[in-house]
Amino acid sequence: MSTESKEILVGESSQAKPEKKTIVLMASDGDEFVVDVDDITNQSEMIRNLISDMGGTDGLQVPLLNVTAPVLAKLLELFNVSNKNDDDEEVTQKVKELMEAELNMMIDVLGAANYIEATSFFDLSCKVLADKFKGMSVEEVREFLNIECDFTEEELQQIHAENAWAFD
Amino acid sequence: MWEHLSLDLLAHVFSFLPPDSVARAMAACKHWFDCARSRSPPSRQPHWLVALPARAARGRPSCYAHDPALNRWHVLPLDLFPCPLRLVAPVGSSLLCKLAASSDLRLVLLNPFTRQFRNLPDLTMPRRNPAVGIVVRGVDATSDSSSSFSVIVAGGASGSCYEPTVEMYDTGPGGWSLVGPMPVEFAVRLTVWTPNESVHALDGAMYWMTSARAYSVMGFDLGRRAWREVKAPMADRLEWAALVRRPSGKLGLVGGDGDGQGAVWELIEEDKWVAVGRVPAELGRRFWGRSKSAATRCVGGEEAVYLFRDLGSEMLVWSESSSSQIKKNKEGEETWEWRLVQGRCCMPNIPIKAALLHPTLSRSSFPASL
């Protein structure tokens, strides 16, 4: 009798405190990242849908063909900041810092976030970028992003003339 | 790498930019130009107030656009279109206008930002000063496109008579078709007193307000094709009033009396209005203290209500307060606040008719044919 009730108790307690479920994300170069299911489904719609289509998370490995290991590591680091904070202030700050320090990495992270449909993080990052060049002149935008102007002088004049109101 | 960023991704970044920034970004390189020209994801920016002169104005024809973030007016030349236009209503990111010189209604669709315009075909019968209403389909779904809409035209004068019929233009089949008769009394009132402002509410009806005092609201149920009159709140005391669509999709009415009071009501039942907002007394005193309240003009949408007098005049704006946005998400209730926006005396002091819309520089959102 006593052993039976003990077993039930154990069963109950393991139900109340389940071990954290994880899945594995595989970067394009084969590196594996073990991530908490709640943390990643909180961010990525693609993975959320995948888990529901597969009917569970057991031994799930998700290959991310377009995402290299350093980019995935950075993305997961930012997700972590986002998951830990109720408001977006902290993660916005981190994305800003990344933009200022490693612009190309930020673009790759943006692409990866778009790819795994991390909608709110993607929106937030796009807004950080947009805010950066909101007040910039076109020359400043080109310089900041290292864009080469491939318009002829004539074409440029035409564009300016059509949108003169935005340049005054 | 920036030159080659995918169009989707770049367009998404652009959707967070105000149109003047997009216009500048377009000049960065060809790839960016093509992106801004061809893509129009739903804008993440607040609406702009876009206005045309309400009467004949001196100088070259212009469209005026107000950037709410910087409280700055931009002047867009309208020399692309050969004759003066009067604003009727916004359609997606475009403006439905009528030819000022034609006494019979002739409509033109215009995007002053892309400098695109297109004439609508002539109505099935000539009408002077009819009521015009717009039904836009699927705007908030995938883009700010103005490519799918209907125009409802009711009443109007024809020869020496009133035209007691309704006709409709639809971008699907293209062209006008007669919808059916309407009560003569409604046709007369809409023709003589209509301010040409309409609201297509969630209940499936098009509403217009007649400006004769006492104000009253005419509703046309598009499904049942039935007309009804709705009494305006405080109808006998309103000095100025306009219809707006509420965030709930219900019909809203903004109006005020001659004593510096203003309020917003929402139509909740057949004939029942509830006040959902009132201009704070102190702001009302400051706004109406300097001029007659009857000169108050109003334009509103689901994200803001603007009260103003002329172009560049001080504006009283009712919108969601920026500090309440986070709170709203958590508590699920809207918190709007009134604020005064300083006037801009550098603008010509002319009467305007205004609309709220998301400006777009994308040519793809404009209908290829009408």
Side-chain angles (χ1 to χ4, degrees):
Chain A
M1 281 296 279
S2 69
T3 42
E4 230 182 293
S5 63
K6 200 177 171 186
E7 270 177 78
I8 292 166
L9 266 174
V10 170
E12 271 179 1
S13 80
S14 74
Q15 248 178 9
K17 268 192 193 170
E19 268 185 42
K20 282 218 162 190
K21 283 186 182 170
T22 58
I23 59 167
V24 173
L25 303 183
M26 279 167 59
S28 61
D29 26 19
D31 284 9
E32 296 186 355
F33 293 77
V34 180
V35 291
D36 182 83
V37 169
D38 289 340
D39 284 352
I40 193 71
T41 52
N42 195 15
Q43 299 284 347
S44 163
E45 195 177 328
M46 181 187 99
I47 292 169
R48 196 161 57 234
N49 290 340
L50 190 72
I51 289 171
S52 107
D53 289 348
M54 302 296 285
T57 58
D58 280 350
L60 194 61
Q61 290 201 334
V62 185
L64 301 174
L65 302 176
N66 297 331
V67 187
T68 63
V71 173
L72 186 52
K74 185 53 92 176
L75 183 64
L76 293 174
E77 181 191 319
L78 292 168
F79 281 175
N80 205 18
V81 176
S82 168
N83 285 332
K84 275 191 189 147
N85 292 282
D86 274 346
D87 60 41
D88 290 338
E89 219 165 287
E90 188 71 25
V91 68
T92 303
Q93 187 54 36
K94 292 283 181 214
V95 173
K96 259 185 208 162
E97 284 166 16
L98 180 63
M99 175 179 71
E100 300 293 350
E102 299 173 82
L103 188 59
N104 288 344
M105 171 60 98
M106 190 227 181
I107 301 315
D108 288 339
V109 167
L110 206 63
N114 191 27
Y115 171 57
I116 65 165
E117 297 169 37
T119 317
S120 51
F121 177 81
F122 180 62
D123 279 355
L124 177 147
S125 308
C126 285
K127 189 170 182 313
V128 167
L129 258 180
D131 284 346
K132 175 75 184 177
F133 44 80
K134 197 175 271 179
M136 283 183 169
S137 71
V138 61
E139 291 79 14
E140 286 165 335
V141 170
R142 280 197 211 112
E143 198 189 317
F144 175 63
L145 301 172
N146 204 11
I147 293 174
E148 202 178 317
C149 177
D150 50 1
F151 289 115
T152 65
E153 197 53 44
E154 253 180 1
E155 286 170 329
L156 269 185
Q157 276 178 11
Q158 169 86 15
I159 295 170
H160 275 247
E162 277 181 16
N163 295 317
W165 64 273
F167 290 91
D168 55 19
Chain B
M1 108 180 275
W2 276 93
E3 292 97 314
H4 309 295
L5 206 60
S6 86
L7 283 180
D8 280 340
L9 210 151
L10 193 56
H12 202 75
V13 175
F14 285 173
S15 72
F16 289 94
L17 285 175
D20 54 321
S21 296
V22 177
R24 289 194 296 272
M26 278 170 90
C29 65
K30 284 181 180 166
H31 182 66
W32 283 35
F33 182 86
D34 292 340
C35 179
R37 266 290 164 91
S38 62
R39 303 291 170 111
S40 57
S43 171
R44 313 303 185 98
Q45 285 287 303
H47 279 127
W48 280 32
L49 190 74
V50 178
L52 294 185
R55 291 198 283 273
R58 265 178 290 158
R60 67 175 187 169
S62 303
C63 171
Y64 304 94
H66 181 256
D67 175 352
L70 302 174
N71 184 21
R72 198 183 154 188
W73 284 93
H74 293 282
V75 183
L76 284 72
L78 272 191
D79 42 14
L80 69 154
F81 198 80
C83 9
L85 296 169
R86 298 282 174 268
L87 177 57
V88 175
V91 183
S93 299
S94 303
L95 300 172
L96 186 70
C97 302
K98 57 181 177 183
L99 298 187
S102 168
S103 55
D104 292 334
L105 182 71
R106 291 216 159 79
L107 294 168
V108 178
L109 193 68
L110 169 83
N111 181 344
F113 294 90
T114 56
R115 303 168 60 83
Q116 289 166 293
F117 66 87
R118 214 169 273 288
N119 291 289
L120 266 75
D122 284 345
L123 280 67
T124 59
M125 50 194 72
R127 294 167 192 265
R128 288 195 310 278
N129 204 30
V132 182
I134 314 282
V135 182
V136 181
R137 287 182 295 270
V139 251
D140 41 11
T142 54
S143 76
D144 287 323
S145 159
S146 12
S147 52
S148 178
F149 63 93
S150 304
V151 183
I152 316 284
V153 170
S158 171
S160 55
C161 308
Y162 293 99
E163 184 56 57
T165 56
V166 180
E167 62 181 295
M168 182 168 89
Y169 173 86
D170 193 297
T171 46
W176 294 90
S177 59
L178 203 62
V179 172
M182 65 184 289
V184 179
E185 187 208 338
F186 280 69
V188 174
R189 282 160 68 177
L190 283 176
T191 307
V192 179
W193 289 296
T194 178
N196 262 343
E197 263 145 13
S198 65
V199 168
H200 180 229
L202 196 65
D203 60 11
M206 182 72 72
Y207 292 97
W208 291 274
M209 186 160 54
T210 57
S211 52
R213 290 179 206 152
Y215 284 97
S216 75
V217 178
M218 325 256 137
F220 177 53
D221 187 316
L222 295 171
R224 293 188 298 124
R225 301 191 172 176
W227 286 86
R228 75 182 180 110
E229 184 181 352
V230 185
K231 285 202 175 64
M234 250 174 65
D236 50 339
R237 300 205 340 256
L238 291 178
E239 287 273 334
W240 56 273
L243 297 181
V244 297
R245 190 178 148 105
R246 297 276 306 137
S248 59
K250 289 179 178 159
L251 179 69
L253 191 150
V254 188
D257 61 12
D259 301 327
Q261 292 196 43
V264 184
W265 292 270
E266 188 171 290
L267 185 65
I268 52 165
E269 276 166 39
E270 201 70 347
D271 240 335
K272 193 173 170 202
W273 299 87
V274 284
V276 290
R278 278 185 199 285
V279 177
E282 169 58 24
L283 284 183
R285 262 195 300 278
R286 280 165 62 191
F287 184 69
W288 284 294
R290 275 160 242 164
S291 73
K292 282 194 172 166
S293 58
T296 308
R297 304 229 159 209
C298 170
V299 60
E302 295 181 25
E303 51 180 73
V305 169
Y306 281 74
L307 306 180
F308 55 93
R309 279 178 293 270
D310 296 318
L311 178 61
S313 73
E314 196 176 40
M315 297 193 283
L316 193 49
V317 181
W318 192 45
S319 63
E320 199 176 314
S321 70
S322 47
S323 58
S324 75
Q325 264 167 12
I326 301 163
K327 220 168 67 192
K328 180 202 164 190
N329 292 343
K330 288 196 179 136
E331 291 164 16
E333 47 184 62
E334 57 184 64
T335 340
W336 286 34
E337 65 180 10
W338 293 92
R339 66 199 157 85
L340 266 182
V341 176
Q342 229 179 13
R344 285 280 173 257
C345 52
C346 53
M347 301 304 289
N349 195 14
I350 53 171
I352 49 170
K353 163 108 185 191
L356 290 173
L357 54 81
H358 288 130
T360 180
L361 289 140
S362 162
R363 295 183 147 254
S364 64
S365 60
F366 201 77
S369 64
L370 282 175

